[in-house]
């Protein structure tokens, strides 16, 4: 069993109204140094696979077929790590 962490973000050419709203709110709170806010999604996947490479391939397939909109979003597999399964008593 593996755990894959995925980040999905809007492509740079796509407007991000939620990011702009967050940036304005931060400025209203005195955080003038914060600029260029972009929002996205963080997804964790539990993947049954024989190897980390197979798990990463499964995560890429999940992203490209369902999790990320290929027209407006980019995705990145941040990490794939083995998960220790709990021993049954």
């Amino acid at each position: 069993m593996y755990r894959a962490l995925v980040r999905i973000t809007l492509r740079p050419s796509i407007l991000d109204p939620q990011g702009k709203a967050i940036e304005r709110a931060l400025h209203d709170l005195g955080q003038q140094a914060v600029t260029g806010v972009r929002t996205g999604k963080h997804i964790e996947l539990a993947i049954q696979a024989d190897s980390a490479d197979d798990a990463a391939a499964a995560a890429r397939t999940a992203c490209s077929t369902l999790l990320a909109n290929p027209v407006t979003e980019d995705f990145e597999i941040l990490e794939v790590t083995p998960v220790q399964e709990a021993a049954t008593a």
Side-chain angles (χ1 to χ4, degrees):
M1 177 78 71
Y2 291 86
R3 181 181 75 144
L5 301 180
V6 177
R7 177 178 28 220
I8 299 172
T9 56
L10 289 170
R11 291 189 173 183
S13 61
I14 303 296
L15 296 177
D16 184 356
Q18 185 178 17
K20 285 293 184 194
I22 292 167
E23 184 177 319
R24 280 193 301 276
L26 288 169
H27 288 182
D28 290 346
L29 294 170
Q31 296 293 320
Q32 302 301 322
V34 178
T35 61
V37 176
R38 303 285 290 173
T39 61
K41 297 178 271 190
H42 172 87
I43 299 175
E44 295 184 23
L45 303 169
I47 301 173
Q48 190 71 34
D50 293 330
S51 69
D53 288 341
D54 289 346
R60 276 191 298 282
T61 299
C63 288
S64 63
T65 59
L66 176 68
L67 301 177
N69 179 335
V71 175
T72 61
E73 296 175 317
D74 292 322
F75 68 87
E76 179 181 6
I77 309 299
L78 299 175
E79 69 178 47
V80 176
T81 55
V83 175
Q84 295 284 339
E85 295 189 38
T88 56

